[in-house]
Amino acid sequence: MNKREYTLNEFILEAAEDPNENDFFELEKPALLEVNLKNQKIMAKAGSMVAYIGNIDFKREGMMSKGLGGLLKKAISGEGTSLMYATGTGKLYLADEGKKVKIIKLKNEAIFVNGNDVLALEESIQNEIKMLKSVAGMMSGGLFQVKLSGSGYIAITTHGEPILLKVTPGQPVFTDPNATVAWSENLTPKIKTNLTFGSFIGRGSGESFQLEFMGEGWVLVQPYEEVKYAAKA
């Protein structure tokens, strides 16, 4: 077995971007999305740009209001999850606090995603944002879900490697709202409270309730409770 020398050349080769990758959305590294723009426009989470090569312009859209059709005035963080438009030609690199990136190519399909876990989407993707109103008083900012539909690329983020749980008739799945990342279009989560054991579930006082998924479909959860805090002034 050859011993690694950890030379500078070895480091450069290991960390360098792959010039052969040129799909629209590419997973450059587990936590780094590469978007290859060719006179195109995408929407991305504001602040997610870590680098770019070429001629790309950015326009911040405030609070997902215009970028993700008809959004409410308040979102997960307390002030809203902001989006930006990226337009032009070149390579764009996006990341979000070291979270793992998952690329999905929708083909006339739809999924629901936790609003804070949306990293980027093609301009062609249609979207609609809703809120589980019954959760609003229970957790900071409520729980916002984004319905992404149509045909094109989307990129979502997760803390660690997620697991996909199948939901079947007669076998519902219960999840922690702060660990729930995405779910299939045909499922509508309901709130299930557990006042008796609330003190022992999770690590926070707001976790005495769960999301209940019934029917047939799937739910994606991450091994992490992503508690949302109100933004500072």
Side-chain angles (χ1 to χ4, degrees), residues 54-112:
N55 185 16
I56 301 174
D57 293 323
F58 300 92
K59 178 184 177 184
R60 195 179 180 103
E61 275 303 310
M63 190 193 63
M64 273 181 150
S65 55
K66 298 176 182 177
L68 290 179
L71 199 92
L72 307 176
K73 292 182 179 179
K74 192 177 181 184
I76 298 169
S77 66
E79 66 172 3
T81 299
S82 299
L83 282 188
M84 63 182 179
Y85 284 112
T87 310
T89 299
K91 290 181 179 289
L92 171 62
Y93 298 94
L94 303 172
D96 185 13
E97 298 182 346
K99 294 163 67 176
K100 295 288 184 68
V101 178
K102 302 297 180 184
I103 299 172
I104 304 170
K105 188 173 184 179
L106 298 178
K107 298 180 179 179
N108 196 26
E109 300 163 305
I111 67 169
F112 283 97

Side-chain angles (χ1 to χ4, degrees), residues 4-70:
R4 291 186 59 183
E5 296 182 356
Y6 298 99
T7 63
L8 179 57
N9 283 340
E10 184 178 340
F11 168 75
I12 292 172
L13 288 172
E14 184 177 309
E17 63 112 6
D18 186 348
N20 296 318
E21 293 182 343
N22 53 18
D23 283 350
F24 194 5
F25 278 31
E26 287 279 358
L27 193 60
E28 179 63 32
K29 301 290 182 181
L32 191 64
L33 175 69
E34 176 186 298
V35 182
N36 290 285
L37 292 167
K38 297 177 182 178
N39 196 24
Q40 295 162 297
K41 177 192 289 187
I42 66 158
M43 287 178 284
K45 190 171 186 177
S48 62
M49 187 276 288
V50 295
Y52 70 91
I53 301 169
N55 185 16
I56 301 174
D57 293 323
F58 300 92
K59 178 184 177 184
R60 195 179 180 103
E61 275 303 310
M63 190 193 63
M64 273 181 150
S65 55
K66 298 176 182 177
L68 290 179

Side-chain angles (χ1 to χ4, degrees), residues 45-202:
K45 190 171 186 177
S48 62
M49 187 276 288
V50 295
Y52 70 91
I53 301 169
N55 185 16
I56 301 174
D57 293 323
F58 300 92
K59 178 184 177 184
R60 195 179 180 103
E61 275 303 310
M63 190 193 63
M64 273 181 150
S65 55
K66 298 176 182 177
L68 290 179
L71 199 92
L72 307 176
K73 292 182 179 179
K74 192 177 181 184
I76 298 169
S77 66
E79 66 172 3
T81 299
S82 299
L83 282 188
M84 63 182 179
Y85 284 112
T87 310
T89 299
K91 290 181 179 289
L92 171 62
Y93 298 94
L94 303 172
D96 185 13
E97 298 182 346
K99 294 163 67 176
K100 295 288 184 68
V101 178
K102 302 297 180 184
I103 299 172
I104 304 170
K105 188 173 184 179
L106 298 178
K107 298 180 179 179
N108 196 26
E109 300 163 305
I111 67 169
F112 283 97
V113 182
N114 183 322
N116 195 52
D117 298 322
V118 176
L119 179 63
L121 57 148
E122 270 195 67
E123 190 181 18
S124 60
I125 294 294
Q126 299 172 353
N127 46 75
E128 181 181 2
I129 296 189
K130 297 180 179 180
M131 177 180 176
L132 294 180
K133 295 180 180 179
S134 55
V135 187
M138 298 181 181
M139 56 190 297
S140 176
L143 180 67
F144 283 77
Q145 49 186 309
V146 184
K147 182 180 180 181
L148 302 176
S149 59
S151 296
Y153 282 105
I154 65 173
I156 65 176
T157 56
T158 65
H159 284 279
E161 284 296 334
I163 184 172
L164 189 144
L165 304 174
K166 292 289 184 69
V167 181
T168 57
Q171 189 67 51
V173 171
F174 303 90
T175 67
D176 181 334
N178 293 319
T180 307
V181 176
W183 55 94
S184 52
E185 175 189 12
N186 55 312
L187 296 182
T188 301
K190 295 182 180 180
I191 304 303
K192 181 179 184 299
T193 58
N194 192 329
L195 300 179
T196 304
F197 297 100
S199 302
F200 305 100
I201 298 175

